[in-house]
Amino acid sequence: MKLIVGLGNPGRKYQGTRHNVGFDVLAKLAGLLAAPGAKTKFEGEVTEGHSGGQKLVLLWPHTYMNASGRSVRKAKDFYKLDDADLLVVCDDLNLPTGRLRIRPRGSAGGQKGLADIIRMLGGEEFARLRVGIDRPPPGWQTPDYVLGRFDSQEQSLIDPAIDRAAQAVMDWAVDDMTAVMSRYNAKAD
């Protein structure tokens, strides 16, 4: 069993924002897995599906980005999972829009949702899949940028990245991490 967490903020106000890319990837993944409708649990929404014989639990924390760790901790403890069975999907300002980077562990790299999960779990030994949203343009404040929506040019990059990220999650659940990193960390075509 694997726990896949998509980071974002709950509510219509935040739908389609750069900061909610993790939620978008999980929504795409849920569709690919033909997962049933999500149920409220662990201060978030949860559904389950299967890929390659592996059970995947999908979690959308509703604790808001900066308190994501609370929801993740509850789910991880409930299912009695090791950190190695956890993958967190989030946005990343340090990657060009649409670029993916999957790693078996690492620092928060400035991502506050990841930082809270690291704090709540007491370590960095869980996988993360970052989806690039690029840096704010000159004159933009970071909070305004991450809570803003993609323009049409960015959307043309992020839509295929969401598709690739959902596939990367399914591959991560059943494949060797080195192979998955090689496949998805390369620049998209």
Side-chain angles (χ1 to χ4, degrees), residues 88-123:
V88 177
V89 183
C90 63
D91 62 284
D92 191 313
L93 288 165
N94 296 311
L95 291 173
T97 300
R99 182 88 182 264
L100 303 181
R101 181 173 294 150
I102 188 165
R103 297 277 190 258
R105 69 189 63 77
S107 72
Q111 217 287 350
K112 293 182 180 179
L114 275 179
D116 192 61
I117 294 168
I118 289 168
R119 184 181 65 77
M120 290 299 289
L121 298 184

Side-chain angles (χ1 to χ4, degrees), residues 18-19 21 25 88-103 107-111 114 128-137 142 145-146 150 154 157-158 161-162 164-165 168 181 184-188:
R18 292 176 183 90
H19 226 16
V21 166
V25 171
V88 177
V89 183
C90 63
D91 62 284
D92 191 313
L93 288 165
N94 296 311
L95 291 173
T97 300
R99 182 88 182 264
L100 303 181
R101 181 173 294 150
I102 188 165
R103 297 277 190 258
S107 72
Q111 217 287 350
L114 275 179
R128 66 277 325 273
L129 172 58
R130 298 172 183 266
V131 180
I133 62 168
D134 216 343
R135 302 291 308 167
T142 299
Y145 179 74
V146 299
F150 295 103
E154 294 167 324
L157 298 171
I158 208 66
I162 288 169
R164 288 188 73 229
M181 289 185 342
Y184 292 98
N185 290 350
K187 191 170 183 173

Side-chain angles (χ1 to χ4, degrees), residues 31-156:
L32 292 173
L33 299 175
K39 298 190 184 306
T40 302
K41 198 170 188 177
F42 313 122
E43 294 187 67
E45 290 186 13
V46 179
T47 191
E48 299 175 358
H50 290 84
S51 179
Q54 182 74 252
K55 181 177 181 179
L56 304 182
V57 177
L58 282 55
L59 171 64
W60 292 260
H62 282 192
T63 51
Y64 290 89
M65 179 69 75
N66 298 354
S68 299
R70 199 168 66 228
S71 177
V72 173
R73 177 94 236 183
K74 287 180 179 186
K76 186 176 166 287
D77 288 352
F78 177 84
Y79 292 109
K80 297 176 177 53
L81 297 173
D82 293 328
D83 286 351
D85 297 320
L86 168 65
L87 173 67
V88 177
V89 183
C90 63
D91 62 284
D92 191 313
L93 288 165
N94 296 311
L95 291 173
T97 300
R99 182 88 182 264
L100 303 181
R101 181 173 294 150
I102 188 165
R103 297 277 190 258
R105 69 189 63 77
S107 72
Q111 217 287 350
K112 293 182 180 179
L114 275 179
D116 192 61
I117 294 168
I118 289 168
R119 184 181 65 77
M120 290 299 289
L121 298 184
E124 302 172 346
E125 300 299 312
F126 59 89
R128 66 277 325 273
L129 172 58
R130 298 172 183 266
V131 180
I133 62 168
D134 216 343
R135 302 291 308 167
W140 279 67
Q141 296 297 314
T142 299
D144 294 333
Y145 179 74
V146 299
L147 296 177
R149 288 176 170 67
F150 295 103
D151 65 26
S152 60
Q153 182 180 2
E154 294 167 324
Q155 199 68 54
S156 71

